Amino acid sequence: MNEPTEARLQMAGHWLRIGHPERTLDELQGLWGDAAVDYRAFLFRGAALHALDRNAEAVDVLKAGLAQHGPFLPLLHVLGSSLRAEGRLPEAEGAFLQGLSLDPNDPDLLIGYAHVCLAAGQAEKASALVERAASHAPESAAVSAARAQVAFALGKDRDMHRHSTEALSHDPEDPGARALHGTSSMLTGDSRSGYNSFASAAASQPGDPDLRAAAREAKLINHPLMRPLRPFQRFNPLVVWVGAVAVIYGLRLAGLAPLAFVAAIGWFGFCIYSWVAPPLLRRWINRRWGS
């Protein structure tokens, strides 16, 4: 392979590493002959298509690469991830298991298989796979992020916050880590940190509607006019209702009927506010965000 062709392949890999998959595809379009079927050409093209959510195309490219070069761990990893994104979970599992049969301790394959298990609702199995990956790569950002996702699936909000904070410490600019940290912050009651993380993730991925919607919702929750509704955010609304009714009836039973009446009027006003304020604020915020 001549030097210009090798340089083009290296540049394609460079664009992929720094988050410009479309530039990767541009570089690869100029390849011909043996370079066009080099294993890196298949890998970079498949990974770039996967990053652009063109997963059906990625699957075709990666399968062609495997047919050309035989089992190759990076190709199997990206193939499994692309199949999972397509919802083809049994095929994704097969790709990861094939890779793990070649290297049972590869952290990337273990985490990729864990994501398939999470998508299939097998959180306990995913947890075991992530911990196995952690035993081989304890300082990995991907391990911390996967632990956070497993904790979310298991309903362990504080564990999720701890692991997402670890993932964020590895790469403060990573949108995925920011989104995980935003979710865990909201779940543990730190809505300000949640908004900051979601806003940062949405700014770095302006084409992601889910991140944009999460940032808008976090901004709504953080608005000063929403402060009176914090009890509904921090506690189960049914518990808040039962508590309010118990207070009102408790005052009546204690012979404090006028105070119970005032509490009932206040609670009624609070309920009206909780029904009216959020939709109006959401409409105003959506208008400002251009949607």
Side-chain angles (χ1 to χ4, degrees):
M1 189 179 302
N2 58 45
E3 289 186 12
T5 301
E6 179 63 27
R8 186 178 285 274
L9 275 170
Q10 292 183 7
M11 184 58 67
H14 167 75
W15 288 124
L16 186 62
R17 282 191 297 275
I18 64 173
H20 293 285
E22 68 287 344
R23 300 290 297 272
T24 296
L25 295 177
D26 290 341
E27 290 289 344
L28 294 173
Q29 279 186 338
L31 296 179
W32 58 279
D34 290 341
V37 293
D38 186 276
Y39 75 94
R40 290 169 296 176
F42 287 108
L43 176 61
F44 295 160
R45 183 174 286 109
L49 291 168
H50 174 55
L52 293 168
D53 291 326
R54 295 163 57 181
N55 290 293
E57 297 173 67
V59 168
D60 291 339
V61 168
L62 293 161
K63 285 185 173 181
L66 289 167
Q68 180 80 19
H69 297 282
F72 182 56
L73 295 187
L75 284 170
L76 286 167
H77 177 259
V78 183
L79 174 61
S81 299
S82 300
L83 288 166
R84 175 178 60 83
E86 282 281 283
R88 297 157 64 177
L89 299 185
E91 293 177 74
E93 181 180 34
F96 284 117
L97 287 175
Q98 184 180 0
L100 288 169
S101 70
L102 302 173
D103 185 353
N105 299 318
D106 184 280
D108 291 333
L109 291 172
L110 288 167
I111 291 172
Y113 188 19
H115 286 147
V116 174
C117 293
L118 284 175
Q122 301 170 341
E124 294 292 347
K125 183 176 179 180
S127 179
L129 289 163
V130 170
E131 293 311 310
R132 190 167 137 200
S135 68
H136 298 284
E139 303 299 321
S140 167
V143 165
S144 296
R147 278 173 162 165
Q149 290 169 296
V150 167
F152 176 74
L154 293 172
K156 298 178 178 179
D157 298 343
R158 298 209 172 274
D159 286 347
M160 181 189 182
H161 189 264
R162 176 164 55 87
H163 293 312
S164 65
T165 301
E166 291 173 3
L168 196 59
S169 70
H170 289 290
D171 185 358
E173 302 305 319
D174 179 58
R178 279 281 177 196
L180 283 171
H181 186 261
T183 301
S184 66
S185 296
M186 299 298 290
L187 289 172
T188 52
D190 188 357
S191 57
R192 185 174 297 277
S193 293
Y195 169 67
N196 289 337
S197 290
F198 277 131
S200 175
S204 63
Q205 298 282 338
D208 190 321
D210 293 333
L211 284 177
R212 192 172 173 84
R216 279 201 306 267
E217 194 65 22
K219 185 173 181 64
L220 170 69
I221 292 172
N222 275 287
H223 196 279
L225 292 177
M226 292 292 288
R227 285 177 185 167
L229 304 182
R230 290 288 168 84
F232 283 137
Q233 298 165 15
R234 295 183 64 87
F235 307 104
N236 187 315
L238 180 60
V239 173
V240 178
W241 270 88
V242 171
V245 172
V247 168
I248 293 168
Y249 277 92
L251 290 171
R252 289 188 62 183
L253 291 173
L256 301 172
L259 193 56
F261 178 75
V262 171
I265 292 298
W267 176 244
F268 179 72
F270 178 78
C271 291
I272 295 296
Y273 185 85
S274 72
W275 298 330
V276 172
L280 292 178
L281 278 172
R282 184 174 285 109
R283 188 179 306 169
W284 178 72
I285 289 172
N286 287 343
R287 188 180 298 120
R288 291 194 65 187
W289 281 54
S291 64

